[in-house]
Amino acid sequence: MAASDPPPPHPPKREVFDVRAMTNTDNKGFIRPVETYTETGFGLYMSRTADHPRFHHLESWLLPGLGLRVSIFHFVAGHRTGQRLYLDVGEFSGPDALGCWHAEDWYLDLIDVPGRPLELVDVDELLEAHHAGLLTADASVRAVAIATRTLVGAAEHGHDVAAWLASAGAPLTWESGR
């Protein structure tokens, strides 16, 4: 690989949310303590601190029926101050027999900034991953369908993602009150 070649695509990111152990295992195997888990009929809420240089706290909802993970990153000063929600597209499931929930990120992300339409990002990553055999054609098509449904749904609700999610059966609540 030449110095100017882009890095090869990464496999889909997978995470485990162990409600009984109150932990979140990220795609690199790091296990982090979770402050709050709340299971509902439409998904799983998680709140935990973060050891990240750009944000200090993370709140997330896994929404299996919608193929979305909706997150609020509590950024440190100077990082993405206008971002409200970050939506990952993928496959989310749980709980399994051990009380764990699972996430597989399918590359596409949507960024919610108040007063603007959702921004779809990382389409190139999805295409590169599919081309490299890391994501099946079926999963790639499903990812595009989920992103499209989300973009259209939010637009039909005046670009209010929370209103669209509530109308779709996922009325999200946040510890931070957002």
Side-chain angles (χ1 to χ4, degrees):
M1 177 165 73
S4 62
D5 289 341
H10 62 80
K13 294 177 182 174
R14 293 177 175 88
E15 288 187 60
V16 177
F17 302 81
D18 189 332
V19 174
R20 293 179 188 164
M22 295 296 289
T23 60
N24 170 218
T25 305
D26 73 10
N27 62 300
K28 295 177 184 170
F30 292 110
I31 301 172
R32 293 182 173 83
V34 171
E35 294 172 359
T36 305
Y37 273 127
T38 303
E39 294 179 274
T40 69
F42 59 83
L44 175 71
Y45 170 80
M46 176 195 73
S47 175
R48 69 170 174 81
T49 59
D51 53 354
H52 195 279
R54 291 183 300 213
F55 59 94
H56 60 87
H57 198 89
L58 172 65
E59 294 181 80
S60 284
W61 275 96
L62 302 184
L63 305 173
L66 296 173
L68 295 171
R69 176 181 181 174
V70 182
S71 298
I72 294 176
F73 294 94
H74 296 273
F75 290 104
V76 298
H79 290 279
R80 294 194 186 180
T81 55
Q83 178 178 305
R84 179 174 36 201
L85 301 173
Y86 193 90
L87 295 84
D88 294 289
V89 171
E91 186 168 64
F92 307 95
S93 62
D96 63 15
L98 299 175
C100 295
W101 290 63
H102 301 271
E104 182 176 279
D105 186 316
W106 288 344
Y107 306 95
L108 296 180
D109 300 307
L110 298 134
I111 300 171
D112 177 37
V113 174
R116 298 195 333 214
L118 279 174
E119 177 186 359
L120 176 64
V121 297
D122 298 333
V123 174
D124 57 334
E125 287 187 23
L126 172 75
L127 296 174
E128 290 166 4
H130 173 66
H131 181 74
L134 298 171
L135 199 63
T136 66
D138 179 60
S140 300
V141 168
R142 287 174 45 208
V144 170
I146 292 165
T148 302
R149 182 185 66 235
T150 303
L151 287 163
V152 170
E156 290 175 344
H157 286 79
H159 304 295
D160 184 338
V161 177
W164 171 69
L165 289 167
S167 76
L172 305 187
T173 58
W174 305 95
E175 282 184 359
S176 62
R178 284 191 179 175

